[in-house]
Amino acid sequence: MLMRTDPFRELDRLAQQLTGVTGTWSRPSAMPMDAYREGEDYVIALDLPGVAKDAIDIDVERNMLTVRAERRPAAKADDVQMELSERPLGVFSRQLVLADTLDTERITADYEAGVLTLRIPIAERAKPRKIAIGGESDHKQISG
């Protein structure tokens, strides 16, 4: 139902973990995701812990779905001295090419417990259907 658009995304994620460099608007980091079919919907779940709901942007243009989010540093008092900081900050993004069999007009999004869940219905034209077979009595006879 979808196609990965960047085969080197996992290498970028690994390099980010090794170097500690976080995502920027020009070079965002990847966000982990699961994608699966559930009944008549295609579901995409993206991990965005610590990201405020208003810092998430979801766009769809034709069959390209783009999710961008930004995890900003928490406001700290002047007398706070960081001892350890492992949680990545910065910009995260994911682009997915959606199949024509999905109804991009009816995508819904929910955000709970740091997980963004997108539900994309399977398009009616893509669902299996029975085709009725007509008989000769269904056609008009032309008399001459």
Side-chain angles (χ1 to χ4, degrees), residues 33-132:
M33 78 169 213
D34 291 334
Y36 53 92
R37 184 172 175 167
E38 183 177 79
E40 297 298 316
D41 291 337
Y42 199 71
V43 180
I44 298 170
L46 300 137
D47 282 350
L48 295 169
V51 175
K53 186 177 176 178
D54 64 347
I56 301 171
D57 185 43
I58 307 165
D59 291 313
V60 66
E61 184 176 339
R62 296 187 194 202
N63 63 338
M64 177 69 74
L65 175 73
T66 304
V67 178
R68 283 185 166 259
E70 184 176 9
R71 183 180 301 128
R72 301 172 183 120
K76 301 209 180 354
D78 291 338
D79 62 345
V80 173
Q81 182 178 349
M82 268 317 248
E83 296 292 329
L84 179 65
S85 180
E86 293 182 343
R87 297 171 53 212
L89 301 174
V91 180
F92 302 85
S93 179
R94 207 61 195 246
Q95 280 192 316
L96 304 168
V97 177
L98 303 176
D100 292 335
T101 57
L102 298 175
D103 187 351
T104 58
E105 298 294 320
R106 298 185 321 152
I107 296 174
T108 61
D110 293 304
Y111 187 58
E112 186 177 333
V115 178
L116 176 66
T117 304
L118 304 173
R119 292 188 170 277
I120 311 167
I122 306 296
E124 287 298 322
R125 68 182 178 279
K127 293 179 184 175
R129 61 190 180 281
K130 294 282 186 191
I131 307 297

